[in-house]
Structure formats: C-alpha cells, structure tokens
Amino acid sequence: MSSRKGPSSPLARRAVGFVDGFNLYHAIRDLRLPHLKWVDLWALLERFARPPAAELRTVYYFSAYATWLKEQHLRHAQYVAALGAHRVTPVLGNFKKKTYRCKQCEQTIEGHEEKETDVNLALGLYRGAVKDEYDLALVVSGDSDLAPAVRAVKRDFPVKRILIVTPVGRKASYDLLDAAGGPRMGREMRRSHIAAALLPRYVYANPSGELVATRPKEYDPPPG
C-alpha cells in the first residue's frame, strides 16, 4: 500500500495520543505514589506534543474494567468519567476468565486475563493513519507487542511520525523504538511530567457544569 495523505508542512501539525492504560497504570503504581494515578492524560500528552510544532487533537485511553474487584472498579470508573470530561476518549475492552494450573500445589485456579487493550490500540493507531487523523501519533506504552502495528503504519504511511513515550520508570522497548524509526523517536516520561498534570478533585462536565467525577480518597495528594 502506498502512502496516502501527508502533513501540510514538514512539521507534524496534528497529534493524536494512544495510551496503553494498564501499561501506564502499573508504571505509576510502582512509584508508590497513589495520587499520581489521578493524572490528566490530555495535559500529560500536551507536554510531548509541544505546540506549536504539533497540536493535540485527540487522546484515546485503552483499558478495561476489573468488574469482579468492586472498589478498584469504582475508582477506575471515576477516573474514566474524569478523563471523558477532559477531552479524552476511553476505549474499553474486557477481561476474560482463564483457568491456571498452579505448578506448586497442582490445583486449578480461576483468574482473569485482559487481552483486548493491545489489539484495540493497534487497530486505533492504524485506522487513524488510514483516515488521515494525525501527522504525529504519541504512543504511550512500553509493550513490544505493539511493534508490528507501528511498523505497519510506517510502512504504509511513511509520512506519519510515531513518537514512543515510555511510561515513567520503565525501560524503553527497543522493538518499539526501532519500529518507529529509532531512538530519536522515543521520549522518557518523568515523575515531574505526571505531577504537573493531575486532575482536580472535582471534575465537572462542560458546558453543563454537572459534577461527573470525584477523586477517590485513595488518590488524595500527600499533605503539605
């Protein structure tokens, strides 16, 4: 397939974010700073789009609800509602039950496995290129499973730029960077980026002003 539409200038003008929700969540969780989980993804990605060189047009958040974990599900739902009010588009997959065999006790254990996030993100990245929705894609993930999708976009739409934003505290994926065009297409997320891009305690819808989400107490910033 040949390249279709390209940017109107050498600079990437239209930027779209593709956030691997679980990849980012686990990276933030490992910091042991729960308040950073209440991050505004739009504000966070604007730091990497760097206007006026690129203007952030859309941010997609790919995740799924762990519905069998009541408290975690409620917190996640509040977060998704807050993101929706801050111009982020959630794309939610599903968990599926899976049976595991414990090697130590030899008992059968029933668990859950989430597999749709990577597929949904990969499809969104490629479809966005087909529809000419972006000149620059910001992919927030360290998952090398996304490398084939990145390669496909670069092969079929070579004028599209893909920037790999590695979640905080994680090592950059060589496969992802290589697929995007090498180390120059990688950026490192820092704790300071997240701390400067947190959602407010109360999140209201625009333009109605209706309260749509309240920050869970578990995500309250430390005193002082």
Side-chain angles (χ1 to χ4, degrees):
M1 185 182 297
S2 63
S3 172
R4 300 186 183 183
K5 296 180 181 179
S8 56
S9 76
L11 292 177
R13 294 297 182 187
R14 301 164 301 154
V16 173
F18 299 87
V19 181
D20 182 339
F22 285 113
N23 206 264
L24 178 59
Y25 171 83
H26 288 296
I28 295 176
R29 186 189 64 179
D30 288 348
L31 295 176
R32 299 180 183 274
L33 297 170
H35 68 287
L36 297 184
K37 297 176 183 177
W38 197 241
V39 59
D40 181 343
L41 296 179
W42 188 282
L44 178 64
L45 288 190
E46 275 193 322
R47 298 176 177 275
F48 297 97
R50 295 183 179 179
E55 178 187 354
L56 195 59
R57 298 287 185 89
T58 310
V59 174
Y60 295 104
Y61 168 73
F62 299 87
S63 191
Y65 289 136
T67 54
W68 69 97
L69 301 172
K70 184 177 180 181
E71 293 183 2
Q72 290 90 327
H73 181 197
L74 290 174
R75 288 197 296 270
H76 197 177
Q78 286 291 300
Y79 183 57
V80 169
L83 290 178
H86 276 240
R87 297 180 286 178
V88 175
T89 301
V91 181
L92 300 177
N94 293 290
F95 278 89
K96 296 181 180 179
K97 290 184 179 181
K98 184 174 181 179
T99 301
Y100 300 87
R101 182 79 173 178
C102 178
K103 295 181 179 179
Q104 296 179 346
C105 64
E106 296 187 354
Q107 292 183 351
T108 299
I109 303 172
E110 189 176 82
H112 296 80
E113 187 174 33
E114 195 284 315
K115 283 191 170 182
E116 294 184 9
T117 297
D118 291 350
V119 174
N120 286 338
L121 196 159
L123 287 173
L125 181 68
Y126 194 84
R127 286 173 177 169
V130 171
K131 295 178 180 179
D132 191 33
E133 293 178 348
Y134 61 80
D135 304 310
L136 171 66
L138 303 168
V139 177
V140 180
S141 181
D143 191 344
S144 60
D145 287 347
L146 295 173
V150 173
R151 286 194 193 95
V153 172
K154 293 298 294 180
R155 179 192 66 232
D156 297 340
F157 306 89
V159 295
K160 304 296 185 188
R161 298 176 63 218
I162 299 179
L163 197 68
I164 306 299
V165 181
T166 302
V168 59
R170 296 291 197 254
K171 291 184 179 180
S173 165
Y174 173 82
D175 288 342
L176 269 181
L177 292 179
D178 182 65
R184 66 186 181 87
M185 298 309 297
R187 296 293 184 273
E188 179 183 336
M189 185 185 298
R190 296 189 176 92
R191 184 188 305 179
S192 59
H193 293 146
I194 302 172
L198 297 181
L199 291 158
R201 180 179 183 183
Y202 299 108
V203 179
Y204 298 90
N206 290 317
S208 68
E210 177 186 0
L211 178 66
V212 296
T214 301
R215 184 180 63 214
K217 64 181 186 334
E218 291 87 353
Y219 297 164
D220 284 345

PDB file of all heavy atoms in Angstrom, residues 16-42:
ATOM      1  N   VAL A  16      -2.211  12.958  17.790  1.00  0.00           N
ATOM      2  CA  VAL A  16      -3.210  12.128  18.461  1.00  0.00           C
ATOM      3  C   VAL A  16      -2.485  11.198  19.424  1.00  0.00           C
ATOM      4  O   VAL A  16      -1.455  10.607  19.073  1.00  0.00           O
ATOM      5  CB  VAL A  16      -4.033  11.307  17.443  1.00  0.00           C
ATOM      6  CG1 VAL A  16      -4.955  10.323  18.162  1.00  0.00           C
ATOM      7  CG2 VAL A  16      -4.866  12.235  16.566  1.00  0.00           C
ATOM      8  N   GLY A  17      -3.017  11.078  20.646  1.00  0.00           N
ATOM      9  CA  GLY A  17      -2.415  10.222  21.655  1.00  0.00           C
ATOM     10  C   GLY A  17      -3.105   8.873  21.743  1.00  0.00           C
ATOM     11  O   GLY A  17      -4.338   8.793  21.654  1.00  0.00           O
ATOM     12  N   PHE A  18      -2.318   7.828  21.932  1.00  0.00           N
ATOM     13  CA  PHE A  18      -2.814   6.463  22.109  1.00  0.00           C
ATOM     14  C   PHE A  18      -2.182   5.918  23.386  1.00  0.00           C
ATOM     15  O   PHE A  18      -0.988   5.602  23.408  1.00  0.00           O
ATOM     16  CB  PHE A  18      -2.442   5.594  20.905  1.00  0.00           C
ATOM     17  CG  PHE A  18      -3.016   6.069  19.596  1.00  0.00           C
ATOM     18  CD1 PHE A  18      -2.348   7.013  18.829  1.00  0.00           C
ATOM     19  CD2 PHE A  18      -4.237   5.578  19.142  1.00  0.00           C
ATOM     20  CE1 PHE A  18      -2.876   7.457  17.634  1.00  0.00           C
ATOM     21  CE2 PHE A  18      -4.775   6.021  17.942  1.00  0.00           C
ATOM     22  CZ  PHE A  18      -4.100   6.965  17.180  1.00  0.00           C
ATOM     23  N   VAL A  19      -2.980   5.818  24.448  1.00  0.00           N
ATOM     24  CA  VAL A  19      -2.440   5.486  25.771  1.00  0.00           C
ATOM     25  C   VAL A  19      -2.805   4.055  26.155  1.00  0.00           C
ATOM     26  O   VAL A  19      -3.984   3.702  26.241  1.00  0.00           O
ATOM     27  CB  VAL A  19      -2.974   6.458  26.849  1.00  0.00           C
ATOM     28  CG1 VAL A  19      -2.385   6.111  28.217  1.00  0.00           C
ATOM     29  CG2 VAL A  19      -2.641   7.902  26.469  1.00  0.00           C
ATOM     30  N   ASP A  20      -1.794   3.254  26.389  1.00  0.00           N
ATOM     31  CA  ASP A  20      -1.965   1.898  26.908  1.00  0.00           C
ATOM     32  C   ASP A  20      -2.220   2.032  28.406  1.00  0.00           C
ATOM     33  O   ASP A  20      -1.291   2.174  29.205  1.00  0.00           O
ATOM     34  CB  ASP A  20      -0.694   1.092  26.634  1.00  0.00           C
ATOM     35  CG  ASP A  20      -0.780  -0.354  27.095  1.00  0.00           C
ATOM     36  OD1 ASP A  20      -1.621  -0.667  27.952  1.00  0.00           O
ATOM     37  OD2 ASP A  20       0.018  -1.175  26.598  1.00  0.00           O
ATOM     38  N   GLY A  21      -3.498   1.994  28.797  1.00  0.00           N
ATOM     39  CA  GLY A  21      -3.887   2.313  30.162  1.00  0.00           C
ATOM     40  C   GLY A  21      -3.245   1.440  31.217  1.00  0.00           C
ATOM     41  O   GLY A  21      -2.759   1.942  32.237  1.00  0.00           O
ATOM     42  N   PHE A  22      -3.219   0.137  31.023  1.00  0.00           N
ATOM     43  CA  PHE A  22      -2.650  -0.754  32.028  1.00  0.00           C
ATOM     44  C   PHE A  22      -1.139  -0.609  32.104  1.00  0.00           C
ATOM     45  O   PHE A  22      -0.550  -0.676  33.190  1.00  0.00           O
ATOM     46  CB  PHE A  22      -3.042  -2.204  31.745  1.00  0.00           C
ATOM     47  CG  PHE A  22      -4.458  -2.515  32.097  1.00  0.00           C
ATOM     48  CD1 PHE A  22      -5.375  -2.827  31.112  1.00  0.00           C
ATOM     49  CD2 PHE A  22      -4.893  -2.474  33.410  1.00  0.00           C
ATOM     50  CE1 PHE A  22      -6.697  -3.098  31.432  1.00  0.00           C
ATOM     51  CE2 PHE A  22      -6.207  -2.736  33.746  1.00  0.00           C
ATOM     52  CZ  PHE A  22      -7.109  -3.065  32.751  1.00  0.00           C
ATOM     53  N   ASN A  23      -0.489  -0.413  30.974  1.00  0.00           N
ATOM     54  CA  ASN A  23       0.958  -0.235  30.967  1.00  0.00           C
ATOM     55  C   ASN A  23       1.343   1.000  31.769  1.00  0.00           C
ATOM     56  O   ASN A  23       2.287   0.967  32.573  1.00  0.00           O
ATOM     57  CB  ASN A  23       1.441  -0.121  29.519  1.00  0.00           C
ATOM     58  CG  ASN A  23       2.876  -0.552  29.354  1.00  0.00           C
ATOM     59  OD1 ASN A  23       3.779   0.278  29.358  1.00  0.00           O
ATOM     60  ND2 ASN A  23       3.103  -1.852  29.192  1.00  0.00           N
ATOM     61  N   LEU A  24       0.608   2.080  31.577  1.00  0.00           N
ATOM     62  CA  LEU A  24       0.880   3.307  32.317  1.00  0.00           C
ATOM     63  C   LEU A  24       0.502   3.158  33.787  1.00  0.00           C
ATOM     64  O   LEU A  24       1.243   3.583  34.679  1.00  0.00           O
ATOM     65  CB  LEU A  24       0.126   4.474  31.691  1.00  0.00           C
ATOM     66  CG  LEU A  24       0.277   5.829  32.390  1.00  0.00           C
ATOM     67  CD1 LEU A  24       1.733   6.265  32.438  1.00  0.00           C
ATOM     68  CD2 LEU A  24      -0.573   6.894  31.698  1.00  0.00           C
ATOM     69  N   TYR A  25      -0.640   2.537  34.055  1.00  0.00           N
ATOM     70  CA  TYR A  25      -1.103   2.381  35.433  1.00  0.00           C
ATOM     71  C   TYR A  25      -0.081   1.615  36.277  1.00  0.00           C
ATOM     72  O   TYR A  25       0.260   2.023  37.404  1.00  0.00           O
ATOM     73  CB  TYR A  25      -2.444   1.658  35.462  1.00  0.00           C
ATOM     74  CG  TYR A  25      -2.891   1.262  36.852  1.00  0.00           C
ATOM     75  CD1 TYR A  25      -3.531   2.179  37.683  1.00  0.00           C
ATOM     76  CD2 TYR A  25      -2.644  -0.015  37.347  1.00  0.00           C
ATOM     77  CE1 TYR A  25      -3.919   1.826  38.974  1.00  0.00           C
ATOM     78  CE2 TYR A  25      -3.032  -0.373  38.628  1.00  0.00           C
ATOM     79  CZ  TYR A  25      -3.665   0.547  39.435  1.00  0.00           C
ATOM     80  OH  TYR A  25      -4.032   0.193  40.709  1.00  0.00           O
ATOM     81  N   HIS A  26       0.408   0.502  35.772  1.00  0.00           N
ATOM     82  CA  HIS A  26       1.345  -0.314  36.549  1.00  0.00           C
ATOM     83  C   HIS A  26       2.667   0.421  36.758  1.00  0.00           C
ATOM     84  O   HIS A  26       3.305   0.267  37.812  1.00  0.00           O
ATOM     85  CB  HIS A  26       1.577  -1.655  35.856  1.00  0.00           C
ATOM     86  CG  HIS A  26       0.397  -2.571  35.949  1.00  0.00           C
ATOM     87  ND1 HIS A  26      -0.072  -3.074  37.145  1.00  0.00           N
ATOM     88  CD2 HIS A  26      -0.431  -3.074  34.996  1.00  0.00           C
ATOM     89  CE1 HIS A  26      -1.118  -3.852  36.938  1.00  0.00           C
ATOM     90  NE2 HIS A  26      -1.363  -3.860  35.636  1.00  0.00           N
ATOM     91  N   ALA A  27       3.070   1.222  35.786  1.00  0.00           N
ATOM     92  CA  ALA A  27       4.285   2.012  35.956  1.00  0.00           C
ATOM     93  C   ALA A  27       4.110   3.040  37.075  1.00  0.00           C
ATOM     94  O   ALA A  27       5.004   3.217  37.920  1.00  0.00           O
ATOM     95  CB  ALA A  27       4.640   2.712  34.645  1.00  0.00           C
ATOM     96  N   ILE A  28       2.946   3.710  37.111  1.00  0.00           N
ATOM     97  CA  ILE A  28       2.687   4.694  38.167  1.00  0.00           C
ATOM     98  C   ILE A  28       2.529   3.991  39.516  1.00  0.00           C
ATOM     99  O   ILE A  28       3.032   4.470  40.544  1.00  0.00           O
ATOM    100  CB  ILE A  28       1.438   5.528  37.832  1.00  0.00           C
ATOM    101  CG1 ILE A  28       1.688   6.371  36.572  1.00  0.00           C
ATOM    102  CG2 ILE A  28       1.055   6.433  39.002  1.00  0.00           C
ATOM    103  CD1 ILE A  28       0.481   7.152  36.098  1.00  0.00           C
ATOM    104  N   ARG A  29       1.864   2.855  39.538  1.00  0.00           N
ATOM    105  CA  ARG A  29       1.674   2.119  40.783  1.00  0.00           C
ATOM    106  C   ARG A  29       3.008   1.758  41.424  1.00  0.00           C
ATOM    107  O   ARG A  29       3.163   1.822  42.650  1.00  0.00           O
ATOM    108  CB  ARG A  29       0.859   0.855  40.527  1.00  0.00           C
ATOM    109  CG  ARG A  29       0.486   0.084  41.787  1.00  0.00           C
ATOM    110  CD  ARG A  29      -0.127  -1.265  41.463  1.00  0.00           C
ATOM    111  NE  ARG A  29       0.831  -2.135  40.778  1.00  0.00           N
ATOM    112  CZ  ARG A  29       0.551  -3.377  40.398  1.00  0.00           C
ATOM    113  NH1 ARG A  29      -0.649  -3.878  40.603  1.00  0.00           N
ATOM    114  NH2 ARG A  29       1.477  -4.107  39.794  1.00  0.00           N
ATOM    115  N   ASP A  30       3.984   1.406  40.607  1.00  0.00           N
ATOM    116  CA  ASP A  30       5.291   1.015  41.136  1.00  0.00           C
ATOM    117  C   ASP A  30       6.036   2.179  41.771  1.00  0.00           C
ATOM    118  O   ASP A  30       7.012   1.963  42.505  1.00  0.00           O
ATOM    119  CB  ASP A  30       6.144   0.400  40.021  1.00  0.00           C
ATOM    120  CG  ASP A  30       5.650  -0.980  39.612  1.00  0.00           C
ATOM    121  OD1 ASP A  30       4.805  -1.552  40.336  1.00  0.00           O
ATOM    122  OD2 ASP A  30       6.099  -1.482  38.560  1.00  0.00           O
ATOM    123  N   LEU A  31       5.600   3.412  41.525  1.00  0.00           N
ATOM    124  CA  LEU A  31       6.210   4.573  42.174  1.00  0.00           C
ATOM    125  C   LEU A  31       5.788   4.686  43.632  1.00  0.00           C
ATOM    126  O   LEU A  31       6.406   5.425  44.399  1.00  0.00           O
ATOM    127  CB  LEU A  31       5.817   5.857  41.442  1.00  0.00           C
ATOM    128  CG  LEU A  31       6.309   6.034  40.006  1.00  0.00           C
ATOM    129  CD1 LEU A  31       5.746   7.323  39.422  1.00  0.00           C
ATOM    130  CD2 LEU A  31       7.827   6.029  39.934  1.00  0.00           C
ATOM    131  N   ARG A  32       4.718   3.988  44.005  1.00  0.00           N
ATOM    132  CA  ARG A  32       4.157   4.047  45.367  1.00  0.00           C
ATOM    133  C   ARG A  32       3.721   5.463  45.735  1.00  0.00           C
ATOM    134  O   ARG A  32       3.872   5.911  46.869  1.00  0.00           O
ATOM    135  CB  ARG A  32       5.160   3.503  46.393  1.00  0.00           C
ATOM    136  CG  ARG A  32       5.543   2.042  46.157  1.00  0.00           C
ATOM    137  CD  ARG A  32       6.533   1.556  47.196  1.00  0.00           C
ATOM    138  NE  ARG A  32       6.957   0.197  46.938  1.00  0.00           N
ATOM    139  CZ  ARG A  32       6.302  -0.895  47.350  1.00  0.00           C
ATOM    140  NH1 ARG A  32       5.201  -0.753  48.069  1.00  0.00           N
ATOM    141  NH2 ARG A  32       6.765  -2.101  47.082  1.00  0.00           N
ATOM    142  N   LEU A  33       3.190   6.153  44.759  1.00  0.00           N
ATOM    143  CA  LEU A  33       2.630   7.494  44.948  1.00  0.00           C
ATOM    144  C   LEU A  33       1.235   7.480  44.349  1.00  0.00           C
ATOM    145  O   LEU A  33       1.027   7.913  43.221  1.00  0.00           O
ATOM    146  CB  LEU A  33       3.507   8.546  44.268  1.00  0.00           C
ATOM    147  CG  LEU A  33       4.929   8.692  44.810  1.00  0.00           C
ATOM    148  CD1 LEU A  33       5.761   9.583  43.896  1.00  0.00           C
ATOM    149  CD2 LEU A  33       4.903   9.268  46.231  1.00  0.00           C
ATOM    150  N   PRO A  34       0.244   6.987  45.102  1.00  0.00           N
ATOM    151  CA  PRO A  34      -1.096   6.764  44.547  1.00  0.00           C
ATOM    152  C   PRO A  34      -1.748   7.993  43.934  1.00  0.00           C
ATOM    153  O   PRO A  34      -2.540   7.864  42.995  1.00  0.00           O
ATOM    154  CB  PRO A  34      -1.901   6.254  45.748  1.00  0.00           C
ATOM    155  CG  PRO A  34      -0.881   5.699  46.684  1.00  0.00           C
ATOM    156  CD  PRO A  34       0.337   6.550  46.503  1.00  0.00           C
ATOM    157  N   HIS A  35      -1.419   9.187  44.448  1.00  0.00           N
ATOM    158  CA  HIS A  35      -2.083  10.384  43.928  1.00  0.00           C
ATOM    159  C   HIS A  35      -1.739  10.633  42.460  1.00  0.00           C
ATOM    160  O   HIS A  35      -2.496  11.299  41.743  1.00  0.00           O
ATOM    161  CB  HIS A  35      -1.724  11.606  44.774  1.00  0.00           C
ATOM    162  CG  HIS A  35      -0.301  12.044  44.667  1.00  0.00           C
ATOM    163  ND1 HIS A  35       0.751  11.355  45.229  1.00  0.00           N
ATOM    164  CD2 HIS A  35       0.271  13.124  44.031  1.00  0.00           C
ATOM    165  CE1 HIS A  35       1.885  11.979  44.983  1.00  0.00           C
ATOM    166  NE2 HIS A  35       1.624  13.049  44.255  1.00  0.00           N
ATOM    167  N   LEU A  36      -0.634  10.065  41.982  1.00  0.00           N
ATOM    168  CA  LEU A  36      -0.252  10.265  40.582  1.00  0.00           C
ATOM    169  C   LEU A  36      -1.125   9.466  39.629  1.00  0.00           C
ATOM    170  O   LEU A  36      -1.102   9.704  38.413  1.00  0.00           O
ATOM    171  CB  LEU A  36       1.219   9.899  40.378  1.00  0.00           C
ATOM    172  CG  LEU A  36       2.243  10.746  41.146  1.00  0.00           C
ATOM    173  CD1 LEU A  36       3.655  10.338  40.769  1.00  0.00           C
ATOM    174  CD2 LEU A  36       2.038  12.234  40.890  1.00  0.00           C
ATOM    175  N   LYS A  37      -1.912   8.533  40.159  1.00  0.00           N
ATOM    176  CA  LYS A  37      -2.830   7.772  39.302  1.00  0.00           C
ATOM    177  C   LYS A  37      -3.962   8.658  38.771  1.00  0.00           C
ATOM    178  O   LYS A  37      -4.600   8.307  37.781  1.00  0.00           O
ATOM    179  CB  LYS A  37      -3.423   6.590  40.078  1.00  0.00           C
ATOM    180  CG  LYS A  37      -2.405   5.559  40.524  1.00  0.00           C
ATOM    181  CD  LYS A  37      -3.055   4.475  41.367  1.00  0.00           C
ATOM    182  CE  LYS A  37      -2.041   3.468  41.887  1.00  0.00           C
ATOM    183  NZ  LYS A  37      -2.665   2.446  42.761  1.00  0.00           N
ATOM    184  N   TRP A  38      -4.210   9.779  39.422  1.00  0.00           N
ATOM    185  CA  TRP A  38      -5.283  10.696  39.029  1.00  0.00           C
ATOM    186  C   TRP A  38      -4.746  11.698  37.998  1.00  0.00           C
ATOM    187  O   TRP A  38      -4.933  12.896  38.085  1.00  0.00           O
ATOM    188  CB  TRP A  38      -5.822  11.405  40.274  1.00  0.00           C
ATOM    189  CG  TRP A  38      -7.137  12.078  40.155  1.00  0.00           C
ATOM    190  CD1 TRP A  38      -7.391  13.404  40.323  1.00  0.00           C
ATOM    191  CD2 TRP A  38      -8.429  11.483  39.888  1.00  0.00           C
ATOM    192  NE1 TRP A  38      -8.731  13.680  40.179  1.00  0.00           N
ATOM    193  CE2 TRP A  38      -9.399  12.509  39.907  1.00  0.00           C
ATOM    194  CE3 TRP A  38      -8.843  10.179  39.622  1.00  0.00           C
ATOM    195  CZ2 TRP A  38     -10.751  12.285  39.682  1.00  0.00           C
ATOM    196  CZ3 TRP A  38     -10.190   9.957  39.403  1.00  0.00           C
ATOM    197  CH2 TRP A  38     -11.125  10.982  39.433  1.00  0.00           C
ATOM    198  N   VAL A  39      -4.096  11.188  36.974  1.00  0.00           N
ATOM    199  CA  VAL A  39      -3.411  12.043  36.013  1.00  0.00           C
ATOM    200  C   VAL A  39      -4.327  12.420  34.855  1.00  0.00           C
ATOM    201  O   VAL A  39      -5.101  11.601  34.349  1.00  0.00           O
ATOM    202  CB  VAL A  39      -2.133  11.342  35.491  1.00  0.00           C
ATOM    203  CG1 VAL A  39      -2.447  10.009  34.821  1.00  0.00           C
ATOM    204  CG2 VAL A  39      -1.352  12.238  34.538  1.00  0.00           C
ATOM    205  N   ASP A  40      -4.216  13.646  34.441  1.00  0.00           N
ATOM    206  CA  ASP A  40      -4.950  14.174  33.292  1.00  0.00           C
ATOM    207  C   ASP A  40      -4.140  13.820  32.043  1.00  0.00           C
ATOM    208  O   ASP A  40      -3.090  14.412  31.777  1.00  0.00           O
ATOM    209  CB  ASP A  40      -5.094  15.691  33.437  1.00  0.00           C
ATOM    210  CG  ASP A  40      -5.864  16.333  32.297  1.00  0.00           C
ATOM    211  OD1 ASP A  40      -6.023  15.686  31.237  1.00  0.00           O
ATOM    212  OD2 ASP A  40      -6.289  17.487  32.452  1.00  0.00           O
ATOM    213  N   LEU A  41      -4.608  12.851  31.279  1.00  0.00           N
ATOM    214  CA  LEU A  41      -3.839  12.368  30.133  1.00  0.00           C
ATOM    215  C   LEU A  41      -3.705  13.418  29.041  1.00  0.00           C
ATOM    216  O   LEU A  41      -2.702  13.440  28.318  1.00  0.00           O
ATOM    217  CB  LEU A  41      -4.472  11.089  29.574  1.00  0.00           C
ATOM    218  CG  LEU A  41      -4.459   9.890  30.527  1.00  0.00           C
ATOM    219  CD1 LEU A  41      -5.139   8.696  29.874  1.00  0.00           C
ATOM    220  CD2 LEU A  41      -3.033   9.536  30.938  1.00  0.00           C
ATOM    221  N   TRP A  42      -4.695  14.266  28.894  1.00  0.00           N
ATOM    222  CA  TRP A  42      -4.591  15.326  27.893  1.00  0.00           C
ATOM    223  C   TRP A  42      -3.452  16.281  28.252  1.00  0.00           C
ATOM    224  O   TRP A  42      -2.579  16.576  27.430  1.00  0.00           O
ATOM    225  CB  TRP A  42      -5.904  16.088  27.767  1.00  0.00           C
ATOM    226  CG  TRP A  42      -5.904  17.058  26.619  1.00  0.00           C
ATOM    227  CD1 TRP A  42      -5.315  18.295  26.582  1.00  0.00           C
ATOM    228  CD2 TRP A  42      -6.466  16.842  25.318  1.00  0.00           C
ATOM    229  NE1 TRP A  42      -5.492  18.881  25.344  1.00  0.00           N
ATOM    230  CE2 TRP A  42      -6.202  18.011  24.562  1.00  0.00           C
ATOM    231  CE3 TRP A  42      -7.187  15.810  24.738  1.00  0.00           C
ATOM    232  CZ2 TRP A  42      -6.631  18.147  23.241  1.00  0.00           C
ATOM    233  CZ3 TRP A  42      -7.611  15.946  23.417  1.00  0.00           C
ATOM    234  CH2 TRP A  42      -7.332  17.115  22.694  1.00  0.00           C
TER     235      TRP A  42
END
